[in-house]
Amino acid sequence: QVQLVESGGGLVQAGGSLRLSCAASGRTFGTRTMGWFRQAPGKERDFVAAITSSSITKYYSDSVKGRFTISRDNALNTVYLQLNSLKPEDTAVYYCAMYGTLGDRREVAAYDYWGQGTPVTVSS
């Protein structure tokens, strides 16, 4: 069984930065793509970024490209999301997730395991 625990969320002013972390239990972390999603109040959960197991390929949504950076440390079983130049519209609960074996890496349904989420609030 895999457990994912996010941390690092908080309240920040527009233009500020945060670094989210997601610690994973289990032996499969180093072999799986990991993703970050976010869900704003009253909205669907949306893809933010994903990174393949070897960090060779990274995927970003258009709304965060150039501002957010995904990375991972397989020795620590941890995936990170660096959030820079934050905007009020980035306010959401951020979730990390472990990709399964099939499906579009930008789709919620392609991920098997999810963390509990960490809230990010960006004030204007």
Side-chain angles (χ1 to χ4, degrees):
Q1 184 72 9
V2 172
Q3 289 188 325
L4 303 175
V5 180
E6 302 97 333
S7 61
L11 174 63
V12 63
Q13 290 187 332
S17 298
L18 284 174
R19 189 193 195 202
L20 308 184
S21 299
C22 172
S25 66
R27 300 180 180 179
T28 61
F29 178 85
T31 65
R32 305 285 283 272
T33 289
M34 296 296 296
W36 286 95
F37 289 74
R38 67 185 181 185
Q39 188 166 16
K43 296 189 176 181
E44 294 184 348
R45 192 168 297 189
D46 291 331
F47 171 77
V48 175
I51 184 169
T52 56
S53 58
S54 58
S55 301
I56 290 177
T57 306
K58 301 176 182 181
Y59 308 83
Y60 296 97
S61 68
D62 289 342
S63 61
V64 308
K65 196 174 297 182
R67 300 188 298 122
F68 293 6
T69 302
I70 190 170
S71 61
R72 66 190 294 163
D73 186 334
N74 288 344
L76 297 178
N77 274 19
T78 302
V79 60
Y80 305 97
L81 188 68
Q82 178 68 39
L83 289 64
N84 295 332
S85 303
L86 281 161
K87 305 175 182 179
E89 51 264 43
D90 294 318
T91 295
V93 177
Y94 284 71
Y95 298 88
C96 74
M98 181 176 286
Y99 178 74
T101 56
L102 293 172
D104 188 334
R105 289 174 177 83
R106 299 172 184 267
E107 297 293 331
V108 168
Y111 289 77
D112 290 342
Y113 298 99
W114 293 83
Q116 83 288 348
T118 186
V120 171
T121 303
V122 185
S123 63
S124 56

